[in-house]
Amino acid sequence: MTETADTQPGWFSSAELESVRARIPVLYVQAVPVRVDEAGSVTHVGLLMRADPDGTFNRSVVSGRVLYHERVRDALLRHLEKDLGPVALPRIPSSPQPFTVAEYFPTPGVTPFHDPRQHAVAMAYVVPVSGDCQPRQDALDLVWFTPEEATSPQVRAEMPGGQGVLVRQALAYVGHAP
Protein backbone atom coordinates (compact mmCIF):
# COMPACT_ATOMS: atom_id res chain seq x y z
CA MET A 1 0.00 0.00 0.00
CA THR A 2 1.14 3.48 -0.76
CA GLU A 3 2.36 5.83 1.92
CA THR A 4 2.32 9.59 1.41
CA ALA A 5 2.02 12.57 3.70
CA ASP A 6 -1.44 14.10 3.61
CA THR A 7 -1.98 17.56 5.04
CA GLN A 8 -5.75 17.38 5.43
CA PRO A 9 -7.17 18.60 8.75
CA GLY A 10 -7.91 15.74 11.12
CA TRP A 11 -5.22 13.50 9.63
CA PHE A 12 -2.97 11.43 11.89
CA SER A 13 0.64 12.27 12.67
CA SER A 14 3.13 9.48 11.90
CA ALA A 15 3.14 8.39 15.55
CA GLU A 16 -0.66 8.41 15.79
CA LEU A 17 -0.99 6.42 12.55
CA GLU A 18 1.48 3.82 13.80
CA SER A 19 -0.56 3.50 17.00
CA VAL A 20 -3.84 3.14 15.08
CA ARG A 21 -2.33 0.56 12.71
CA ALA A 22 -1.30 -1.54 15.72
CA ARG A 23 -4.88 -1.63 17.02
CA ILE A 24 -7.48 -1.60 14.23
CA PRO A 25 -7.80 -2.32 10.51
CA VAL A 26 -7.38 0.75 8.29
CA LEU A 27 -9.69 1.40 5.32
CA TYR A 28 -8.12 1.89 1.88
CA VAL A 29 -9.30 2.29 -1.69
CA GLN A 30 -7.38 0.76 -4.57
CA ALA A 31 -7.88 1.61 -8.22
CA VAL A 32 -6.69 -0.37 -11.22
CA PRO A 33 -6.49 2.28 -13.96
CA VAL A 34 -7.43 0.99 -17.39
CA ARG A 35 -7.77 2.23 -20.96
CA VAL A 36 -10.83 1.01 -22.83
CA ASP A 37 -11.76 0.94 -26.52
CA GLU A 38 -14.96 2.36 -28.03
CA ALA A 39 -16.84 -0.83 -27.08
CA GLY A 40 -15.76 -0.54 -23.42
CA SER A 41 -13.31 -3.45 -23.50
CA VAL A 42 -10.11 -3.06 -21.53
CA THR A 43 -7.10 -2.63 -23.82
CA HIS A 44 -4.43 -1.60 -21.30
CA VAL A 45 -3.76 -1.62 -17.55
CA GLY A 46 -1.76 1.19 -15.96
CA LEU A 47 0.75 0.19 -13.28
CA LEU A 48 2.80 2.64 -11.26
CA MET A 49 6.52 2.24 -10.63
CA ARG A 50 7.51 3.14 -7.07
CA ALA A 51 10.67 3.01 -5.00
CA ASP A 52 10.50 1.41 -1.56
CA PRO A 53 12.38 2.95 1.38
CA ASP A 54 14.99 0.18 1.04
CA GLY A 55 15.74 1.29 -2.56
CA THR A 56 13.97 -1.52 -4.38
CA PHE A 57 11.52 -0.77 -7.18
CA ASN A 58 8.07 -2.29 -7.58
CA ARG A 59 4.88 -1.89 -9.56
CA SER A 60 1.56 -1.09 -7.94
CA VAL A 61 -1.98 0.06 -8.50
CA VAL A 62 -3.31 3.37 -7.19
CA SER A 63 -3.88 3.01 -3.46
CA GLY A 64 -4.49 5.11 -0.40
CA ARG A 65 -6.36 5.58 2.85
CA VAL A 66 -9.91 6.89 3.15
CA LEU A 67 -10.01 9.98 5.35
CA TYR A 68 -12.43 10.42 8.22
CA HIS A 69 -15.72 11.78 6.86
CA GLU A 70 -14.65 11.27 3.23
CA ARG A 71 -16.86 9.53 0.70
CA VAL A 72 -15.30 6.52 -1.01
CA ARG A 73 -15.83 8.15 -4.41
CA ASP A 74 -13.97 11.25 -3.22
CA ALA A 75 -11.12 9.13 -1.85
CA LEU A 76 -10.81 7.37 -5.22
CA LEU A 77 -10.71 10.69 -7.07
CA ARG A 78 -8.15 12.14 -4.63
CA HIS A 79 -5.78 9.19 -4.94
CA LEU A 80 -6.18 8.94 -8.72
CA GLU A 81 -5.32 12.63 -9.08
CA LYS A 82 -2.47 12.30 -6.57
CA ASP A 83 -0.89 9.39 -8.45
CA LEU A 84 -1.93 9.99 -12.09
CA GLY A 85 -2.15 13.78 -12.26
CA PRO A 86 -5.00 16.27 -12.53
CA VAL A 87 -5.85 15.54 -16.18
CA ALA A 88 -6.09 11.72 -16.01
CA LEU A 89 -9.88 12.09 -16.42
CA PRO A 90 -11.01 9.04 -14.43
CA ARG A 91 -14.57 7.84 -15.00
CA ILE A 92 -15.96 6.85 -11.64
CA PRO A 93 -19.70 6.13 -11.46
CA SER A 94 -21.88 8.12 -9.08
CA SER A 95 -22.21 5.09 -6.84
CA PRO A 96 -19.06 2.99 -7.31
CA GLN A 97 -19.09 -0.71 -6.50
CA PRO A 98 -15.80 -2.52 -5.77
CA PHE A 99 -14.88 -5.61 -7.76
CA THR A 100 -13.40 -7.08 -4.57
CA VAL A 101 -12.51 -6.32 -0.97
CA ALA A 102 -8.90 -7.22 -0.26
CA GLU A 103 -7.77 -7.87 3.31
CA TYR A 104 -4.10 -7.15 3.90
CA PHE A 105 -2.58 -8.75 6.99
CA PRO A 106 0.79 -8.14 8.64
CA THR A 107 1.20 -11.93 8.87
CA PRO A 108 2.04 -13.48 5.49
CA GLY A 109 -0.18 -16.28 4.23
CA VAL A 110 -3.48 -15.36 5.90
CA THR A 111 -4.77 -14.09 2.53
CA PRO A 112 -2.93 -13.50 -0.76
CA PHE A 113 -2.50 -9.87 0.39
CA HIS A 114 0.27 -8.82 2.78
CA ASP A 115 1.27 -5.49 4.32
CA PRO A 116 3.87 -5.86 7.08
CA ARG A 117 2.80 -2.53 8.67
CA GLN A 118 -0.84 -3.24 9.34
CA HIS A 119 -4.13 -5.02 8.96
CA ALA A 120 -5.85 -3.09 6.15
CA VAL A 121 -9.12 -3.54 4.30
CA ALA A 122 -9.09 -2.25 0.73
CA MET A 123 -12.07 -1.78 -1.54
CA ALA A 124 -10.75 -2.27 -5.08
CA TYR A 125 -12.12 -0.70 -8.26
CA VAL A 126 -11.42 -0.87 -11.99
CA VAL A 127 -11.36 2.75 -13.18
CA PRO A 128 -11.25 3.75 -16.85
CA VAL A 129 -9.10 6.84 -17.46
CA SER A 130 -9.06 8.72 -20.74
CA GLY A 131 -6.79 11.71 -20.14
CA ASP A 132 -3.08 12.33 -19.99
CA CYS A 133 -1.62 10.46 -17.03
CA GLN A 134 1.53 11.89 -15.49
CA PRO A 135 2.74 10.11 -12.33
CA ARG A 136 3.12 12.37 -9.32
CA GLN A 137 3.89 12.22 -5.61
CA ASP A 138 5.86 9.04 -4.87
CA ALA A 139 5.07 7.38 -8.23
CA LEU A 140 8.13 7.44 -10.49
CA ASP A 141 6.50 6.22 -13.69
CA LEU A 142 3.28 4.84 -15.14
CA VAL A 143 3.47 2.06 -17.73
CA TRP A 144 0.50 0.83 -19.76
CA PHE A 145 0.46 -2.95 -20.22
CA THR A 146 -1.87 -5.11 -22.27
CA PRO A 147 -3.98 -7.39 -20.07
CA GLU A 148 -1.74 -10.31 -21.05
CA GLU A 149 1.43 -8.40 -20.14
CA ALA A 150 -0.05 -7.16 -16.84
CA THR A 151 -0.77 -10.73 -15.72
CA SER A 152 2.51 -12.20 -16.94
CA PRO A 153 4.80 -13.85 -14.37
CA GLN A 154 7.46 -11.17 -15.01
CA VAL A 155 5.15 -8.25 -14.15
CA ARG A 156 3.49 -10.09 -11.24
CA ALA A 157 6.95 -10.67 -9.75
CA GLU A 158 7.39 -6.87 -9.60
CA MET A 159 4.16 -6.44 -7.60
CA PRO A 160 4.61 -7.08 -3.86
CA GLY A 161 2.00 -7.80 -1.24
CA GLY A 162 -0.43 -9.59 -3.54
CA GLN A 163 -1.12 -6.73 -5.93
CA GLY A 164 -0.47 -9.10 -8.84
CA VAL A 165 -3.41 -11.15 -7.55
CA LEU A 166 -5.49 -7.97 -7.39
CA VAL A 167 -4.71 -7.11 -11.03
CA ARG A 168 -5.68 -10.65 -12.12
CA GLN A 169 -8.97 -10.34 -10.20
CA ALA A 170 -9.64 -6.93 -11.78
CA LEU A 171 -9.10 -8.26 -15.27
CA ALA A 172 -11.26 -11.32 -14.61
CA TYR A 173 -13.98 -8.96 -13.36
CA VAL A 174 -13.97 -7.09 -16.70
CA GLY A 175 -13.91 -10.27 -18.79
CA HIS A 176 -10.19 -10.89 -19.27
CA ALA A 177 -9.79 -14.25 -17.52
CA PRO A 178 -6.02 -14.74 -17.08
Side-chain angles (χ1 to χ4, degrees):
M1 306 237 151
T2 305
E3 192 63 36
T4 59
D6 286 295
T7 57
Q8 305 258 349
W11 200 237
F12 294 118
S13 70
S14 295
E16 290 169 326
L17 181 58
E18 187 176 328
S19 176
V20 167
R21 283 179 166 160
R23 291 180 171 86
I24 60 173
V26 178
L27 180 62
Y28 280 77
V29 290
Q30 293 187 298
V32 179
V34 297
R35 298 278 194 202
V36 296
D37 62 18
E38 58 281 346
S41 296
V42 171
T43 60
H44 290 87
V45 177
L47 297 176
L48 297 164
M49 177 64 74
R50 299 185 191 276
D52 284 338
D54 66 2
T56 60
F57 294 95
N58 63 66
R59 298 200 184 277
S60 69
V61 299
V62 172
S63 179
R65 290 183 299 272
V66 177
L67 297 174
Y68 176 75
H69 213 262
E70 181 178 41
R71 294 181 332 150
V72 167
R73 186 175 195 281
D74 294 336
L76 277 167
L77 286 169
R78 181 170 56 86
H79 288 293
L80 285 159
E81 181 176 328
K82 175 184 65 79
D83 284 347
L84 303 181
V87 292
L89 305 177
R91 294 190 309 259
I92 300 173
S94 300
S95 182
Q97 298 296 315
F99 69 86
T100 195
V101 175
E103 287 189 272
Y104 289 80
F105 283 89
T107 307
V110 177
T111 70
F113 308 104
H114 174 249
D115 185 338
R117 303 167 303 160
Q118 65 189 332
H119 176 188
V121 177
M123 296 182 296
Y125 302 84
V126 175
V127 179
V129 294
S130 57
D132 182 29
C133 297
Q134 297 295 320
R136 301 178 355 156
Q137 299 283 331
D138 62 343
L140 304 173
D141 194 14
L142 173 72
V143 177
W144 292 99
F145 294 94
T146 66
E148 295 75 23
E149 292 168 335
T151 57
S152 71
Q154 297 84 5
V155 173
R156 281 196 334 257
E158 297 175 358
M159 300 181 73
Q163 289 204 4
V165 172
L166 192 73
V167 169
R168 289 173 57 95
Q169 289 176 339
L171 288 168
Y173 179 76
V174 297
H176 280 279

